[in-house]
């Protein structure tokens, strides 16, 4: 340790408490708006740390959260990793079976759950999968009857000491964890070490990253169960800025109200969220966006029209690309110094709608099918590989995925990109067979397998097609068995999928075909199916031209 103490989260908490004791943390919860300061935040975080000690949760053990964005969830963000435990955020939108797998795989010891999600957790509860879970803590002051060992959060932390002797930790120690849904098989766990979270925080605070200063008011709408809300609870604390948390399932009215009431300057979320705000305002609702400087858009491509719309409202869009495996920020589409003067507005928009410039600290390369690096000419494309301090080197307990998804210390992203002469990365296709709807993954392979398990189905393929609101939606192409009544089959398939999967996994369309087109090696050719669907939809006028698959 030649440079003094390690690169860990502890100093961020210490500095915010000491230097910004009166800066506010505001949170919308099921109980209304809560408001306190970093000073009180530090007290409650210490109390939570003591409460976990009392339950006997050991050093290095995993503690899970099943929550939306609010101050209590934020308290777990420091109390868990800063005591040497591992903060494991679980995505409550996943199918029950995935949740069971995740809890069992991670061997979680406590699960913090929102009251609005408690029923969902209880439905996913399986005694064998949840065997490691000692305690459920419900985020509020009342405990619903869940049939599990549950206590409410306020009673859990009540009476504990407001000081804590936070230990000096090794930077290589796992501090966080988040699962990402893979192409096939079960979700893959990504562990974040203290050092990964530290370096990601430092890089994303810079102007070349997300640009967070101590005078900002930061509201992550991107869920805290989705890669630590892009690390913003950490970077906002490191900066000493004001936090605003929008609470359970915020709708456009909630988001607009918080921007106005709290003077939000930076907010962040997937395109679907901002489309919602746009429609809300277009419906005649007057929203004062005058405090808002920046909207960070990521998770899916920010449409050019959305960037323009925000420009027209005096708000600058920061388009960012990243992955769960990268803690998650990898690139940001800033206009390079000096470039703005040389470009027309339209040319600037082109650059800003790309996935952008790699964040300082990371390296990338783009490799074509022959294993060669492609030139930076904006035309040649290949798979994007990245490496750097906050890029994972392996998946949790998944040796077979480690074999395919990494090459040396390079992470193979599965995103197919071009790079232009100025170094701007642009995603042009996706090598991985998954569908991203409203920022959340749907496994096309899992849906296909479910459909093909039906006796009346000969073959089936599920593809993602462009969608204005959700960016992508699943569509199923089905080859029925001989003599099968197609209408009844579709109805049966819909019922079967609705029983097994969340509502948002149900394909938007079931299309009968004679045969699934195949590639030369006999695999389903999803590209052909997407093209076929685009043509069919255009004939029916369902899909606007600019949303056709080629424009992805
Ligand atoms: P996740 O691990 O859930 O964060 O998903 C990461 C993947 O989402 C990336 O590999 C991309 O395929 C996609 N993605 C993330 N950000 C963007 C973006 N700005 N534009 C297009 N695709 C994106």
């Amino acid at each position: 340790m030649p440079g003094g103490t390690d690169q860990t989260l502890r100093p961020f908490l210490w500095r915010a408490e000491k230097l910004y004791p009166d800066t506010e943390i505001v949170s919308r919860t099921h109980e209304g708006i809560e408001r306190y300061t970093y000073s009180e935040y530090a007290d409650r975080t210490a109390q939570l740390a003591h409460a976990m000690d009392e339950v006997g949760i050991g050093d290095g053990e995993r503690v899970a959260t099943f929550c939306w964005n609010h101050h209590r969830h934020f308290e777990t963000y420091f109390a868990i990793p800063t005591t040497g435990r591992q903060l494991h955020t679980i995505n409550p939108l996943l199918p029950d079976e995935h949740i069971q797998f995740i809890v069992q795989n991670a061997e979680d010891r406590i699960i913090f759950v929102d009251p609005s999600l408690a029923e969902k957790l209880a439905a996913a509860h399986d005694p064998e999968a949840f065997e490691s879970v000692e305690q459920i803590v419900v985020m509020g002051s009342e405990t619903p009857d869940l049939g599990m060992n549950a206590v409410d959060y306020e009673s859990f932390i009540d009476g504990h000491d407001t000081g804590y002797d936070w230990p000096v930790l090794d930077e290589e120690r796992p501090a966080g964890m988040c699962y990402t849904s893979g192409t096939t098989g079960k979700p893959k766990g990504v562990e974040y070490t203290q050092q990964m979270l530290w370096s990601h925080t430092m890089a994303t605070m810079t102007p070349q990253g997300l640009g967070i200063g101590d005078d900002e008011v930061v509201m992550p709408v991107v869920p805290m169960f989705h890669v630590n809300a892009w690390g913003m609870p950490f970077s906002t604390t490191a900066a000493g800025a004001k936090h605003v948390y929008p609470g359970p399932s915020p709708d456009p009215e909630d988001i607009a109200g918080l921007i106005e009431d709290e003077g939000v300057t930076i907010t962040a979320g997937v395109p679907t969220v901002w489309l919602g705000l746009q429609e809300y305002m277009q419906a005649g609702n007057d929203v004062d966006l005058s405090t808002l400087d920046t909207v960070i858009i990521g998770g899916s491509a920010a449409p050019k029209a959305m960037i323009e719309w925000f420009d027209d409202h005096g708000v600058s869009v920061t388009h960012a690309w990243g992955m769960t495996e990268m803690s998650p920020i990898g690139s940001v589409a800033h206009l390079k110094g000096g470039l703005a003067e040389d470009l027309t507005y339209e040319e600037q928009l082109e650059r800003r709608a790309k996935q952008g410039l790699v964040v300082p600290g990371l390296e990338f390369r783009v490799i074509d099918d022959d294993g060669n690096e492609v030139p930076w000419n904006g035309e040649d494309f290949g798979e994007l590989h990245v490496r750097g301090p906050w890029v994972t080197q392996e998946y949790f307990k998944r040796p077979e995925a480690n074999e395919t998804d990494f090459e040396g210390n390079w992470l193979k992203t599965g995103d197919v990109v071009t790079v232009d002469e100025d170094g701007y990365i642009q995603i042009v296709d996706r090598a991985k067979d998954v569908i991203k709807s409203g920022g959340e993954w749907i496994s096309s392979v899992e849906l296909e397998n479910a459909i093909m398990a039906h006796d009346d189905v000969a073959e089936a393929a599920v593809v993602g097609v462009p969608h204005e609101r959700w960016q992508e939606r699943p569509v199923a192409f089905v080859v029925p068995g001989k003599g099968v009544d197609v209408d009844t089959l579709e109805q049966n398939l819909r019922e079967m999928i609705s029983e097994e999967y969340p509502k948002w996994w149900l394909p938007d369309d079931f299309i009968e075909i004679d045969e699934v087109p195949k590639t030369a090696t006999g695999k389903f050719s999803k590209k052909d199916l997407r093209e076929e669907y685009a043509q069919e939809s255009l004939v029916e006028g369902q899909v606007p031209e600019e949303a056709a698959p080629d424009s992805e």
Side-chain angles (χ1 to χ4, degrees):
M1 203 164 58
T5 53
D6 283 338
Q7 298 177 348
T8 63
L9 298 173
R10 190 192 60 255
F12 299 146
L13 175 62
W14 174 84
R15 182 175 179 275
E17 183 189 2
K18 296 292 178 213
L19 268 58
Y20 300 92
D22 300 327
T23 299
E24 276 186 325
I25 295 155
V26 179
S27 164
R28 173 182 162 262
T29 73
H30 63 288
E31 293 149 331
I33 299 286
E34 306 261 347
R35 184 184 300 276
Y36 62 36
T37 61
Y38 273 124
S39 173
E40 288 162 272
Y41 171 78
D43 289 353
R44 285 171 58 89
T45 301
Q47 288 183 304
L48 174 56
H50 287 297
M52 286 188 293
D53 291 348
E54 194 170 277
V55 178
I57 306 305
D59 193 24
E61 291 197 296
R62 274 175 286 279
V63 177
T65 62
F66 200 79
C67 303
W68 292 101
N69 298 9
H70 47 70
H71 66 292
R72 294 187 180 100
H73 198 181
F74 176 45
E75 287 162 13
T76 72
Y77 261 54
F78 274 94
I80 296 170
T82 311
T83 49
R85 300 175 177 111
Q86 208 174 337
L87 167 71
H88 171 207
T89 53
I90 303 178
N91 182 343
L93 305 176
L94 291 175
D96 291 351
E97 216 188 297
H98 289 203
I99 293 167
Q100 287 158 7
F101 169 79
I102 285 173
V103 171
Q104 189 164 27
N105 192 245
E107 298 173 66
D108 293 318
R109 302 281 282 117
I110 301 183
I111 303 180
F112 290 89
V113 59
D114 277 3
S116 63
L117 296 168
E119 223 173 273
K120 165 87 182 156
L121 186 70
H125 178 249
D126 166 83
E128 200 186 319
F130 281 53
E131 203 190 336
S132 59
V133 180
E134 183 102 1
Q135 179 80 64
I136 302 288
V137 182
V138 183
M139 294 302 215
S141 1
E142 281 167 35
T143 313
D145 181 14
L146 295 173
M148 293 182 268
N149 180 23
V151 60
D152 73 84
Y153 186 88
E154 293 306 322
S155 308
F156 188 60
I157 67 168
D158 188 44
H160 286 290
D161 202 301
T162 52
Y164 196 92
D165 189 12
W166 304 105
V168 173
L169 298 169
D170 187 325
E171 66 190 23
E172 293 307 326
R173 173 191 278 265
M177 182 180 222
C178 186
Y179 281 73
T180 179
S181 298
T183 311
T184 51
K186 299 289 187 232
K188 294 177 284 190
V190 176
E191 291 190 287
Y192 306 118
T193 62
Q194 288 277 347
Q195 182 274 333
M196 284 167 77
L197 296 179
W198 185 90
S199 55
H200 181 267
T201 302
M202 296 304 276
T204 53
M205 280 165 66
T206 64
Q208 309 280 298
L210 305 180
I212 302 177
D214 62 1
D215 54 349
E216 305 286 0
V217 180
V218 184
M219 178 169 74
V221 179
V222 51
M224 289 166 84
F225 55 75
H226 212 274
V227 211
N228 305 325
W230 301 344
M232 297 182 82
F234 296 128
S235 48
T236 305
T237 308
K242 172 174 166 180
H243 300 240
V244 178
Y245 290 104
S249 327
D251 62 23
E253 194 178 345
D254 301 321
I255 292 169
L258 285 167
I259 292 173
E260 287 182 335
D261 296 348
E262 302 303 329
V264 171
T265 61
I266 301 181
T267 182
V270 296
T272 307
V273 168
W274 307 120
L275 198 66
L277 181 67
Q278 207 171 313
E279 284 171 356
Y280 176 73
M281 289 173 67
Q282 278 159 354
N285 295 294
D286 223 6
V287 182
D288 179 4
L289 297 179
S290 60
T291 60
L292 194 60
D293 291 325
T294 308
V295 175
I296 301 160
I297 304 184
S300 295
K304 238 198 274 178
M306 186 173 281
I307 301 177
E308 257 185 300
W309 185 86
F310 274 114
D311 277 347
D312 291 344
H313 289 77
V315 180
S316 164
V317 166
T318 298
H319 182 202
W321 165 86
M323 289 175 79
T324 306
E325 288 85 338
M326 306 178 65
S327 312
I329 305 288
S331 66
V332 173
H334 290 300
L335 278 185
K336 251 185 179 179
L339 206 58
E341 298 99 72
D342 301 336
L343 301 177
T344 63
Y345 179 68
E346 192 50 40
E347 287 167 336
Q348 290 182 16
L349 264 184
E350 291 284 337
R351 296 294 203 298
R352 295 166 63 200
K354 292 188 177 190
Q355 279 62 38
L357 302 169
V358 75
V359 171
L362 297 182
E363 292 168 274
F364 73 91
R365 65 182 190 188
V366 181
I367 304 292
D368 69 15
D369 284 348
D370 301 323
N372 300 319
E373 241 182 273
V374 308
W376 291 15
N377 57 13
E379 278 176 22
D380 289 307
F381 56 84
E383 187 184 13
L384 177 64
H385 295 186
V386 289
R387 67 179 179 192
W390 57 92
V391 180
T392 192
Q393 301 267 299
E394 60 181 6
Y395 291 109
F396 183 68
K397 300 186 194 165
R398 289 296 285 275
E400 83 299 340
N402 292 341
E403 285 289 309
T404 53
D405 295 1
F406 298 89
E407 202 171 285
N409 52 10
W410 293 100
L411 165 73
K412 294 153 82 177
T413 65
D415 287 325
V416 177
V417 305
T418 59
V419 187
D420 68 20
E421 289 81 357
D422 293 313
Y424 284 80
I425 297 166
Q426 181 171 26
I427 297 185
V428 292
D429 200 357
R430 201 185 279 142
K432 45 198 177 196
D433 186 10
V434 271
I435 298 160
K436 205 167 203 195
S437 172
E440 303 291 341
W441 292 116
I442 295 172
S443 165
S444 37
V445 178
E446 203 170 323
L447 281 180
E448 273 159 22
N449 290 340
I451 296 172
M452 283 197 282
H454 195 284
D455 286 345
D456 292 344
V457 173
E459 255 185 351
V462 174
V463 300
V465 300
H467 190 282
E468 211 179 339
R469 169 175 293 275
W470 304 108
Q471 287 81 56
E472 256 184 330
R473 289 294 302 151
V475 166
F477 288 85
V478 181
V479 183
K482 283 215 165 50
V484 168
D485 177 72
V486 180
D487 291 339
T488 317
L489 175 61
E490 177 173 338
Q491 205 183 326
N492 291 343
L493 290 175
R494 282 183 185 279
E495 276 166 22
M496 184 189 79
I497 293 173
S498 306
E499 271 168 29
E500 259 181 71
Y501 295 99
K503 217 167 67 194
W504 59 279
W505 275 51
L506 187 70
D508 279 8
D509 213 349
F510 287 78
I511 296 174
E512 184 202 346
I513 50 172
D514 295 335
E515 195 192 341
V516 176
K518 312 275 185 336
T519 64
T521 53
K523 288 187 188 161
F524 289 174
S525 175
K526 305 256 171 143
K527 191 168 165 282
D528 285 338
L529 284 173
R530 281 202 298 250
E531 276 164 17
E532 200 167 304
Y533 181 77
Q535 269 156 22
E536 184 169 324
S537 307
L538 287 177
V539 172
E540 292 173 11
Q542 290 177 0
V543 177
E545 203 164 355
E546 66 275 12
D550 282 346
S551 69
E552 258 178 68

